[in-house]
Coordinates of all heavy atoms in Angstrom, one line a residue:
M1 N -8.9 -7.7 1.4 CA -7.7 -6.9 1.4 C -6.8 -7.4 0.3 O -6.1 -6.6 -0.3 CB -7.0 -6.9 2.7 CG -5.8 -6.1 2.7 SD -4.8 -5.9 4.2 CE -5.5 -6.8 5.5
Y2 N -6.7 -8.7 0.1 CA -5.7 -9.2 -0.9 C -6.3 -9.8 -2.1 O -5.8 -10.7 -2.7 CB -4.8 -10.2 -0.2 CG -4.1 -9.7 1.0 CD1 -4.6 -10.0 2.3 CD2 -3.1 -8.7 1.0 CE1 -4.1 -9.5 3.5 CE2 -2.6 -8.2 2.1 CZ -3.0 -8.6 3.3 OH -2.5 -8.0 4.4
G3 N -7.5 -9.3 -2.5 CA -8.2 -9.8 -3.6 C -9.4 -10.7 -3.1 O -9.7 -10.7 -2.0
P4 N -10.0 -11.4 -4.0 CA -11.2 -12.1 -3.7 C -10.9 -13.2 -2.7 O -9.7 -13.6 -2.5 CB -11.7 -12.8 -5.0 CG -11.0 -11.9 -6.0 CD -9.7 -11.4 -5.4
E5 N -11.9 -13.7 -2.0 CA -11.7 -14.8 -1.1 C -11.1 -16.0 -1.8 O -11.6 -16.3 -2.9 CB -13.0 -15.2 -0.4 CG -13.5 -14.1 0.5 CD -12.6 -13.8 1.7 OE1 -12.1 -14.7 2.3 OE2 -12.4 -12.6 2.0
P6 N -10.2 -16.8 -1.2 CA -9.6 -17.9 -1.8 C -10.6 -19.0 -2.2 O -10.5 -19.7 -3.2 CB -8.7 -18.5 -0.8 CG -8.5 -17.5 0.2 CD -9.7 -16.6 0.1
D7 N -11.7 -19.1 -1.5 CA -12.7 -20.1 -1.8 C -13.9 -19.6 -2.7 O -14.9 -20.2 -2.9 CB -13.3 -20.8 -0.6 CG -14.0 -19.8 0.4 OD1 -13.8 -18.5 0.1 OD2 -14.6 -20.2 1.4
G8 N -13.7 -18.3 -3.2 CA -14.7 -17.7 -4.0 C -14.7 -18.2 -5.4 O -13.9 -19.0 -5.8
P9 N -15.6 -17.7 -6.2 CA -15.7 -18.3 -7.6 C -14.5 -17.9 -8.5 O -14.2 -18.6 -9.4 CB -17.0 -17.7 -8.1 CG -17.3 -16.5 -7.3 CD -16.7 -16.8 -5.9
Q10 N -13.9 -16.8 -8.2 CA -12.7 -16.4 -9.0 C -11.6 -15.9 -8.1 O -11.3 -14.8 -8.0 CB -13.1 -15.2 -10.0 CG -14.2 -15.5 -11.0 CD -14.5 -14.4 -11.9 OE1 -14.6 -13.3 -11.4 NE2 -14.6 -14.6 -13.1
P11 N -10.9 -16.9 -7.5 CA -9.7 -16.5 -6.6 C -8.6 -16.0 -7.5 O -8.4 -16.3 -8.6 CB -9.4 -17.8 -5.9 CG -9.8 -18.9 -6.9 CD -11.0 -18.3 -7.6
G12 N -7.8 -15.1 -6.8 CA -6.7 -14.6 -7.5 C -6.9 -13.2 -8.1 O -8.0 -12.7 -8.0
P13 N -5.9 -12.7 -8.8 CA -6.0 -11.3 -9.3 C -7.1 -11.2 -10.4 O -7.3 -12.2 -11.1 CB -4.6 -11.1 -10.0 CG -3.7 -12.1 -9.3 CD -4.6 -13.2 -8.9
Q14 N -7.8 -10.1 -10.4 CA -8.9 -9.9 -11.3 C -8.5 -8.9 -12.3 O -7.8 -7.9 -12.1 CB -10.1 -9.4 -10.5 CG -10.6 -10.3 -9.4 CD -11.1 -11.6 -10.0 OE1 -11.9 -11.6 -10.9 NE2 -10.5 -12.7 -9.6
P15 N -8.9 -9.1 -13.6 CA -8.6 -8.1 -14.7 C -9.2 -6.7 -14.3 O -10.3 -6.6 -13.6 CB -9.4 -8.7 -15.9 CG -9.7 -10.1 -15.5 CD -9.8 -10.2 -14.0
G16 N -8.4 -5.7 -14.7 CA -8.9 -4.3 -14.4 C -8.5 -3.9 -13.0 O -8.9 -2.7 -12.7
H17 N -7.9 -4.7 -12.2 CA -7.5 -4.2 -10.8 C -6.0 -3.9 -10.8 O -5.3 -4.5 -11.6 CB -7.8 -5.3 -9.8 CG -9.3 -5.4 -9.5 ND1 -9.8 -5.3 -8.2 CD2 -10.4 -5.7 -10.2 CE1 -11.1 -5.4 -8.2 NE2 -11.4 -5.7 -9.5
D18 N -5.6 -3.1 -9.9 CA -4.2 -2.8 -9.7 C -3.7 -3.4 -8.4 O -4.4 -3.3 -7.4 CB -4.0 -1.2 -9.6 CG -4.3 -0.5 -10.9 OD1 -3.9 -1.1 -12.0 OD2 -4.9 0.5 -10.8
Y19 N -2.6 -4.1 -8.5 CA -2.1 -4.8 -7.3 C -0.7 -4.3 -7.0 O 0.1 -4.1 -7.9 CB -2.1 -6.3 -7.5 CG -3.5 -6.9 -7.6 CD1 -4.1 -7.0 -8.9 CD2 -4.2 -7.3 -6.5 CE1 -5.4 -7.5 -9.0 CE2 -5.5 -7.8 -6.7 CZ -6.0 -7.9 -7.9 OH -7.3 -8.4 -8.0
A20 N -0.3 -4.3 -5.7 CA 1.1 -4.1 -5.3 C 1.5 -5.5 -4.7 O 0.8 -6.0 -3.9 CB 1.2 -3.0 -4.3
E21 N 2.6 -6.0 -5.2 CA 3.2 -7.2 -4.6 C 3.9 -6.8 -3.3 O 4.7 -5.9 -3.2 CB 4.2 -7.8 -5.6 CG 4.9 -9.0 -5.0 CD 6.0 -9.5 -5.9 OE1 6.3 -8.9 -6.9 OE2 6.6 -10.5 -5.5
L22 N 3.6 -7.6 -2.2 CA 4.2 -7.3 -0.9 C 5.5 -8.1 -0.9 O 5.5 -9.3 -1.2 CB 3.3 -7.7 0.2 CG 1.9 -7.0 0.2 CD1 1.0 -7.5 1.3 CD2 2.1 -5.5 0.3
V23 N 6.6 -7.4 -0.5 CA 7.9 -8.0 -0.5 C 8.5 -7.9 0.9 O 8.6 -6.9 1.5 CB 8.8 -7.3 -1.5 CG1 10.2 -7.9 -1.5 CG2 8.2 -7.3 -2.9
G24 N 8.9 -9.1 1.4 CA 9.5 -9.2 2.7 C 8.5 -9.2 3.8 O 7.3 -9.1 3.5
G25 N 8.9 -9.4 5.0 CA 8.0 -9.4 6.1 C 7.0 -10.6 6.2 O 7.2 -11.5 5.3
P26 N 6.1 -10.5 7.1 CA 5.2 -11.7 7.2 C 4.2 -11.8 6.1 O 3.6 -12.9 5.9 CB 4.5 -11.3 8.5 CG 4.5 -9.9 8.6 CD 5.8 -9.5 8.0
L27 N 4.0 -10.9 5.2 CA 3.0 -10.9 4.1 C 3.7 -11.1 2.7 O 3.1 -10.9 1.7 CB 2.1 -9.7 4.1 CG 1.4 -9.5 5.4 CD1 0.6 -8.2 5.4 CD2 0.5 -10.6 5.7
D28 N 5.0 -11.5 2.8 CA 5.8 -11.6 1.6 C 5.1 -12.5 0.5 O 4.6 -13.6 0.8 CB 7.2 -12.3 1.9 CG 8.1 -12.3 0.7 OD1 8.3 -11.3 0.0 OD2 8.6 -13.5 0.5
G29 N 5.0 -12.0 -0.7 CA 4.5 -12.7 -1.8 C 3.0 -12.5 -2.1 O 2.4 -12.9 -3.1
M30 N 2.3 -11.9 -1.1 CA 0.8 -11.6 -1.2 C 0.7 -10.4 -2.1 O 1.6 -9.6 -2.3 CB 0.2 -11.4 0.1 CG 0.3 -12.7 1.0 SD -0.6 -12.5 2.5 CE -2.2 -13.1 2.0
L31 N -0.5 -10.3 -2.7 CA -0.9 -9.1 -3.5 C -1.9 -8.3 -2.7 O -2.8 -8.8 -2.1 CB -1.5 -9.6 -4.8 CG -0.7 -10.4 -5.7 CD1 -1.5 -10.8 -7.0 CD2 0.6 -9.6 -6.1
L32 N -1.7 -7.0 -2.7 CA -2.6 -6.0 -2.1 C -3.3 -5.3 -3.2 O -2.7 -4.6 -4.1 CB -1.7 -5.0 -1.3 CG -2.5 -3.9 -0.6 CD1 -3.5 -4.4 0.4 CD2 -1.5 -2.9 0.0
D33 N -4.6 -5.3 -3.2 CA -5.5 -4.7 -4.2 C -5.5 -3.2 -3.9 O -6.1 -2.8 -2.8 CB -6.9 -5.3 -4.2 CG -7.8 -4.8 -5.3 OD1 -7.4 -3.8 -5.9 OD2 -8.8 -5.4 -5.5
V34 N -4.9 -2.4 -4.7 CA -4.9 -1.0 -4.5 C -5.8 -0.2 -5.5 O -5.6 1.0 -5.7 CB -3.4 -0.4 -4.6 CG1 -2.6 -1.0 -3.4 CG2 -2.7 -0.7 -5.9
T35 N -6.7 -1.0 -6.1 CA -7.6 -0.4 -7.1 C -8.4 0.7 -6.4 O -9.0 0.6 -5.4 CB -8.5 -1.5 -7.6 OG1 -7.8 -2.5 -8.1 CG2 -9.5 -0.9 -8.7
G36 N -8.4 1.9 -7.1 CA -9.1 3.1 -6.6 C -8.5 3.8 -5.5 O -9.0 4.8 -5.0
W37 N -7.3 3.4 -5.1 CA -6.6 4.2 -4.0 C -6.1 5.5 -4.6 O -5.6 5.6 -5.8 CB -5.3 3.5 -3.6 CG -5.5 2.3 -2.7 CD1 -6.5 1.5 -2.5 CD2 -4.5 1.9 -1.8 NE1 -6.3 0.5 -1.6 CE2 -5.0 0.7 -1.1 CE3 -3.2 2.3 -1.4 CZ2 -4.4 0.0 -0.1 CZ3 -2.5 1.6 -0.4 CH2 -3.1 0.4 0.2
P38 N -6.3 6.6 -3.9 CA -5.8 7.9 -4.3 C -4.3 7.8 -4.5 O -3.6 7.1 -3.7 CB -6.2 8.9 -3.2 CG -7.3 8.2 -2.5 CD -7.0 6.7 -2.6
P39 N -3.7 8.6 -5.4 CA -2.2 8.5 -5.6 C -1.4 8.7 -4.3 O -0.4 8.1 -4.1 CB -2.0 9.6 -6.7 CG -3.2 9.7 -7.4 CD -4.3 9.4 -6.4
Q40 N -1.9 9.6 -3.5 CA -1.1 9.9 -2.3 C -1.1 8.7 -1.3 O -0.1 8.4 -0.6 CB -1.6 11.1 -1.5 CG -0.8 11.5 -0.4 CD 0.7 11.9 -0.8 OE1 0.9 12.6 -1.7 NE2 1.7 11.3 -0.1
D41 N -2.2 7.9 -1.3 CA -2.2 6.7 -0.5 C -1.2 5.7 -1.0 O -0.6 5.0 -0.2 CB -3.6 6.1 -0.4 CG -4.6 7.0 0.4 OD1 -4.2 7.9 1.0 OD2 -5.8 6.6 0.5
V42 N -1.1 5.6 -2.3 CA -0.1 4.6 -2.8 C 1.3 5.1 -2.5 O 2.1 4.3 -2.0 CB -0.3 4.5 -4.4 CG1 0.8 3.7 -5.0 CG2 -1.6 3.9 -4.7
V43 N 1.6 6.4 -2.5 CA 2.9 6.9 -2.1 C 3.2 6.7 -0.6 O 4.3 6.3 -0.2 CB 3.0 8.4 -2.4 CG1 4.2 9.0 -1.8 CG2 2.9 8.6 -3.9
D44 N 2.1 6.8 0.2 CA 2.3 6.6 1.6 C 2.5 5.2 2.1 O 3.0 4.9 3.1 CB 1.0 7.2 2.4 CG 0.9 8.7 2.3 OD1 1.9 9.4 2.0 OD2 -0.1 9.2 2.6
G45 N 2.0 4.2 1.3 CA 2.1 2.8 1.7 C 1.0 2.5 2.6 O -0.1 3.1 2.6
A46 N 1.2 1.3 3.4 CA 0.1 0.8 4.2 C 0.6 0.1 5.4 O 1.6 -0.5 5.4 CB -0.8 -0.1 3.3
L47 N -0.2 0.3 6.5 CA 0.0 -0.6 7.7 C -1.0 -1.7 7.6 O -2.2 -1.4 7.7 CB -0.2 0.3 9.0 CG 0.9 1.3 9.3 CD1 0.4 2.2 10.5 CD2 2.2 0.6 9.7
L48 N -0.5 -2.9 7.5 CA -1.4 -4.0 7.2 C -1.4 -5.0 8.5 O -0.4 -5.3 9.0 CB -1.0 -4.8 6.0 CG -0.9 -4.0 4.7 CD1 -0.3 -4.8 3.6 CD2 -2.3 -3.5 4.3
I49 N -2.6 -5.3 8.9 CA -2.7 -6.2 10.0 C -2.2 -7.6 9.6 O -2.5 -8.1 8.6 CB -4.2 -6.4 10.5 CG1 -4.7 -5.0 11.0 CG2 -4.4 -7.5 11.5 CD1 -6.2 -5.0 11.3
S50 N -1.3 -8.2 10.5 CA -0.7 -9.5 10.3 C -0.6 -10.2 11.6 O -0.1 -9.7 12.6 CB 0.7 -9.3 9.7 OG 1.3 -10.6 9.6
E51 N -1.1 -11.4 11.6 CA -1.0 -12.3 12.8 C 0.5 -12.9 12.9 O 0.7 -13.5 13.9 CB -2.0 -13.4 12.7 CG -3.4 -12.9 12.8 CD -4.4 -14.0 12.8 OE1 -4.1 -15.2 12.9 OE2 -5.6 -13.7 12.7
H52 N 1.2 -12.8 11.9 CA 2.5 -13.5 11.9 C 3.7 -12.5 12.0 O 4.9 -12.9 11.9 CB 2.7 -14.3 10.5 CG 1.6 -15.2 10.4 ND1 1.4 -16.3 11.1 CD2 0.5 -15.2 9.5 CE1 0.3 -17.0 10.7 NE2 -0.3 -16.3 9.8
G53 N 3.5 -11.3 12.3 CA 4.5 -10.3 12.5 C 5.2 -10.4 13.9 O 4.8 -11.3 14.7
Q54 N 6.1 -9.5 14.2 CA 6.8 -9.5 15.4 C 5.9 -9.3 16.6 O 6.2 -9.9 17.7 CB 7.8 -8.3 15.4 CG 8.5 -8.1 16.7 CD 9.4 -6.8 16.6 OE1 9.6 -6.2 15.5 NE2 10.1 -6.5 17.6
F55 N 4.7 -8.6 16.5 CA 3.8 -8.4 17.6 C 2.6 -9.4 17.7 O 1.7 -9.1 18.5 CB 3.3 -6.9 17.6 CG 4.5 -6.0 17.7 CD1 5.1 -5.4 16.7 CD2 5.1 -5.8 19.0 CE1 6.2 -4.5 16.8 CE2 6.1 -4.9 19.1 CZ 6.7 -4.3 18.0
G56 N 2.6 -10.4 16.8 CA 1.6 -11.4 16.9 C 0.2 -10.9 16.4 O 0.1 -9.8 15.8
P57 N -0.9 -11.6 16.8 CA -2.2 -11.2 16.4 C -2.5 -9.7 16.7 O -2.2 -9.3 17.8 CB -3.1 -12.1 17.1 CG -2.3 -13.3 17.3 CD -0.9 -12.8 17.6
G58 N -3.0 -9.0 15.8 CA -3.4 -7.6 16.0 C -2.2 -6.6 15.7 O -2.5 -5.4 15.6
G59 N -1.1 -7.1 15.5 CA 0.1 -6.3 15.1 C 0.0 -5.9 13.6 O -0.9 -6.4 12.9
R60 N 0.7 -4.9 13.3 CA 0.7 -4.5 11.9 C 2.1 -4.5 11.3 O 3.1 -4.3 12.0 CB 0.1 -3.0 11.8 CG -1.3 -3.0 12.1 CD -1.9 -1.6 12.4 NE -3.3 -1.6 12.5 CZ -4.0 -2.0 13.5 NH1 -3.4 -2.6 14.5 NH2 -5.4 -1.9 13.5
S61 N 2.1 -4.7 10.0 CA 3.4 -4.6 9.2 C 3.3 -3.4 8.3 O 2.3 -3.1 7.6 CB 3.5 -5.9 8.4 OG 3.6 -7.0 9.2
D62 N 4.4 -2.6 8.3 CA 4.4 -1.4 7.6 C 5.1 -1.7 6.2 O 6.2 -2.1 6.1 CB 5.3 -0.3 8.3 CG 5.4 1.0 7.6 OD1 4.7 1.3 6.7 OD2 6.2 1.8 8.1
Y63 N 4.3 -1.4 5.1 CA 4.8 -1.6 3.8 C 4.8 -0.3 3.0 O 3.8 0.5 3.1 CB 3.9 -2.6 3.0 CG 4.2 -4.0 3.4 CD1 3.6 -4.6 4.5 CD2 5.1 -4.8 2.7 CE1 3.9 -5.9 4.9 CE2 5.3 -6.1 3.1 CZ 4.7 -6.7 4.2 OH 5.0 -8.0 4.6
A64 N 5.9 0.0 2.3 CA 6.0 1.2 1.6 C 6.4 0.9 0.1 O 7.0 -0.1 -0.1 CB 7.1 2.1 2.2
P65 N 6.0 1.8 -0.8 CA 6.4 1.5 -2.2 C 7.9 1.4 -2.4 O 8.7 2.1 -1.8 CB 5.9 2.6 -3.0 CG 5.1 3.5 -2.0 CD 5.4 3.0 -0.7
A66 N 8.3 0.4 -3.2 CA 9.7 0.3 -3.6 C 10.1 1.4 -4.5 O 9.2 2.0 -5.2 CB 10.0 -1.1 -4.3
E67 N 11.3 1.8 -4.6 CA 11.8 2.8 -5.5 C 11.6 2.3 -6.9 O 11.9 1.1 -7.2 CB 13.3 3.2 -5.3 CG 13.5 3.8 -3.9 CD 12.9 5.2 -3.8 OE1 12.9 6.0 -4.9 OE2 12.4 5.6 -2.8
P68 N 11.1 3.1 -7.8 CA 10.9 2.7 -9.2 C 12.2 2.3 -9.8 O 13.2 3.0 -9.6 CB 10.2 3.8 -9.9 CG 10.2 4.9 -9.0 CD 10.6 4.5 -7.6
G69 N 12.3 1.3 -10.6 CA 13.5 0.9 -11.3 C 13.7 1.8 -12.5 O 12.8 2.6 -12.9
P70 N 14.8 1.6 -13.2 CA 15.1 2.4 -14.4 C 14.0 2.3 -15.4 O 13.6 1.1 -15.7 CB 16.5 1.9 -14.9 CG 17.0 1.1 -13.8 CD 15.9 0.7 -12.9
G71 N 13.5 3.4 -16.0 CA 12.5 3.3 -17.0 C 11.1 3.1 -16.5 O 10.2 3.2 -17.3
A72 N 10.9 3.0 -15.2 CA 9.6 2.8 -14.7 C 8.9 4.2 -14.4 O 9.7 5.1 -14.0 CB 9.6 2.0 -13.4
E73 N 7.7 4.3 -14.5 CA 7.0 5.5 -14.2 C 6.9 5.6 -12.6 O 6.6 4.7 -11.9 CB 5.6 5.5 -14.8 CG 5.6 5.2 -16.3 CD 5.0 6.4 -17.0 OE1 4.4 7.2 -16.4 OE2 5.1 6.3 -18.2
A74 N 7.1 6.8 -12.1 CA 7.0 7.0 -10.7 C 5.7 6.7 -10.1 O 5.6 6.2 -8.9 CB 7.3 8.5 -10.3
A75 N 4.6 6.9 -10.8 CA 3.3 6.6 -10.2 C 2.8 5.1 -10.4 O 1.8 4.7 -10.0 CB 2.2 7.5 -10.9
E76 N 3.7 4.4 -11.1 CA 3.3 3.0 -11.4 C 3.3 2.1 -10.1 O 4.2 2.2 -9.2 CB 4.4 2.4 -12.3 CG 4.2 0.9 -12.6 CD 5.3 0.4 -13.5 OE1 5.9 1.2 -14.3 OE2 5.6 -0.8 -13.5
V77 N 2.2 1.4 -9.9 CA 2.1 0.5 -8.7 C 2.9 -0.8 -9.1 O 2.7 -1.3 -10.1 CB 0.7 0.2 -8.4 CG1 0.5 -0.8 -7.3 CG2 -0.2 1.4 -8.1
G78 N 3.7 -1.2 -8.1 CA 4.5 -2.4 -8.4 C 4.7 -3.2 -7.1 O 3.9 -4.1 -6.8
R79 N 5.7 -2.8 -6.3 CA 6.0 -3.6 -5.1 C 6.0 -2.7 -3.9 O 6.4 -1.5 -4.0 CB 7.4 -4.2 -5.3 CG 7.4 -5.1 -6.5 CD 8.8 -5.5 -7.0 NE 9.9 -5.4 -6.1 CZ 10.7 -6.4 -5.7 NH1 10.6 -7.6 -6.2 NH2 11.7 -6.1 -4.9
F80 N 5.4 -3.2 -2.8 CA 5.5 -2.5 -1.5 C 6.4 -3.4 -0.7 O 6.3 -4.6 -0.5 CB 4.1 -2.5 -0.8 CG 3.2 -1.4 -1.2 CD1 3.4 -0.7 -2.4 CD2 2.2 -1.1 -0.4 CE1 2.5 0.3 -2.8 CE2 1.3 -0.1 -0.8 CZ 1.5 0.6 -2.0
V81 N 7.5 -2.8 -0.1 CA 8.5 -3.5 0.6 C 8.3 -3.3 2.1 O 8.0 -2.2 2.6 CB 9.9 -2.9 0.2 CG1 11.0 -3.6 1.0 CG2 10.1 -3.1 -1.3
C82 N 8.4 -4.4 2.9 CA 8.2 -4.3 4.3 C 9.3 -3.4 5.0 O 10.5 -3.6 4.7 CB 8.3 -5.7 4.9 SG 7.9 -5.7 6.7
Q83 N 8.8 -2.5 5.8 CA 9.7 -1.6 6.6 C 9.9 -2.0 8.0 O 10.7 -1.4 8.7 CB 9.1 -0.1 6.5 CG 8.8 0.4 5.1 CD 10.0 0.4 4.2 OE1 11.0 1.1 4.6 NE2 10.0 -0.2 3.2
G84 N 9.0 -3.0 8.4 CA 9.1 -3.4 9.8 C 7.7 -3.6 10.4 O 6.7 -3.4 9.7
D85 N 7.7 -4.1 11.6 CA 6.3 -4.3 12.3 C 6.1 -3.2 13.4 O 7.1 -2.8 14.0 CB 6.3 -5.7 12.9 CG 6.4 -6.8 11.9 OD1 5.9 -6.6 10.8 OD2 6.9 -7.9 12.1
V86 N 4.9 -3.0 13.6 CA 4.5 -2.1 14.7 C 3.3 -2.7 15.5 O 2.6 -3.5 15.0 CB 4.0 -0.7 14.2 CG1 5.2 0.0 13.5 CG2 2.9 -0.8 13.2
P87 N 3.3 -2.4 16.8 CA 2.2 -2.9 17.6 C 0.8 -2.5 17.2 O 0.6 -1.6 16.6 CB 2.5 -2.5 19.1 CG 3.6 -1.5 19.0 CD 4.1 -1.5 17.6

């Protein structure tokens, strides 16, 4: 979900992939690989499973795209901001 496995041969972001930086909440600072996501899915954001959220293991954290800054393209993938946790 967040790129290759940390103990894999090439951990971290891979060339040619698109990532959204997760901001706030229990997944703050992680990268979400959105390569190949349909544009509407990027607009909708994601409910991501997190063991460290308000509802513990099995709970989900709601992340939505941040508003584009001045001069940024609306479709540009950048940051997903935490909207809160759901069971």
Side-chain angles (χ1 to χ4, degrees):
M1 177 176 6
Y2 304 105
E5 294 296 318
D7 58 351
Q10 295 181 317
Q14 299 298 304
H17 285 240
D18 295 316
Y19 295 91
E21 176 188 2
L22 301 178
V23 179
L27 303 176
D28 185 50
M30 297 185 89
L31 297 178
L32 176 63
D33 188 345
V34 296
T35 305
W37 283 28
Q40 188 59 48
D41 287 355
V42 173
V43 170
D44 291 343
L47 287 173
L48 303 173
I49 295 173
S50 171
E51 296 184 5
H52 305 290
Q54 177 181 356
F55 298 98
R60 289 168 171 72
S61 297
D62 184 9
Y63 282 85
E67 293 295 321
E73 304 241 351
E76 178 181 334
V77 176
R79 298 164 24 123
F80 277 21
V81 178
C82 185
Q83 307 298 303
D85 294 330
V86 296

